[in-house]
Every structure is written in C-alpha cells, then in structure tokens.
Amino acid sequence: MATIIRDVFLSFVRVHILHHAAKERVFGLAMIEELRRHGYALSPGTLYPILHAMEQSELLKCEQKVVGGKVRKYYTSTAKGRRMLAEVKERIQELLEELLED
Ligand SMILES: [Zn+2]
C-alpha cells in the first residue's frame, strides 16, 4: 500500500481508538476485531505500538488486569484524549462538508 494512504488510514485508526476509548475501556485484541469490522486489517505488531504511543502522549491511560492468567492492558481516554477527539471531530465535520459538496 502506498505510504501516504497507509498514513491516512493509520490516522483514521487513531481516531477510532480515541472514539471507543472515550466510551468504554478497550484492549488490543478487541480493538483489532472492531477495526476489522470497519475494514482495517491490523496486526498486533502495528496496533500495540499505536496504543502505547497514545498512552505516552497522555491521550489514553492504561490499566492492567489479569484475565485467564494473562496480563491484559485496558485503555480508556484521558481528559486530554477527549478534548483531542472533540477537536478532531470538528475538523472531520468541516472536511466532510467540503468533500461532499461536489
Ligand atoms: Zn469503531
């Protein structure tokens, strides 16, 4: 896939994550399933570093729980993440209006 298209799709993936993590706690494998439903085929090797980077940027906070003997990382949105989502939504709205004009 062309790099630029991949970059665009990976940005959409980040927006999806922000959207879901603002509503409920999400974890890697469930998020991969959810994104597959939207037509994005992501491997854990691609998604996990994105989640981690979003945690480092304080858009998500992480909580670890042991599930079936394994540590599972749950992510929820921070206040900063919710503010970012609100800003992104406005920009998406503005972009969509222009795209759908023609
Ligand atoms: Zn979704």
Side-chain angles (χ1 to χ4, degrees):
M1 197 189 298
T3 307
I4 183 126
I5 292 295
R6 187 177 158 80
D7 286 349
V8 170
F9 285 176
L10 287 176
S11 298
F12 290 171
V13 162
R14 288 183 179 84
V15 177
H16 267 291
I17 294 169
L18 274 182
H19 170 69
H20 286 285
K23 292 197 303 184
E24 69 237 341
R25 25 176 233 183
V26 302
F27 62 96
L29 284 179
M31 204 60 230
I32 286 173
E33 276 307 307
E34 166 63 15
L35 289 164
R36 196 191 314 276
R37 203 171 66 76
H38 287 292
Y40 301 93
L42 288 184
S43 67
T46 302
L47 185 73
Y48 290 177
I50 292 175
L51 289 170
H52 188 67
M54 290 174 72
E55 184 193 355
Q56 294 300 111
S57 307
E58 299 175 332
L59 298 172
L60 300 177
K61 54 179 184 279
C62 180
E63 193 189 339
Q64 303 200 8
K65 284 245 164 80
V66 177
V67 179
K70 282 187 178 174
V71 176
R72 181 178 284 174
K73 290 181 166 184
Y74 286 102
Y75 294 90
T76 47
S77 197
T78 60
K80 184 180 173 185
R82 287 190 294 274
R83 278 198 307 277
M84 180 74 75
L85 178 63
E87 192 181 329
V88 167
K89 271 188 190 175
E90 273 181 33
R91 285 171 187 249
I92 288 176
Q93 175 93 44
E94 194 271 335
L95 173 63
L96 261 186
E97 278 167 19
E98 180 168 27
L99 291 176
L100 299 179
E101 244 170 39
D102 336 304

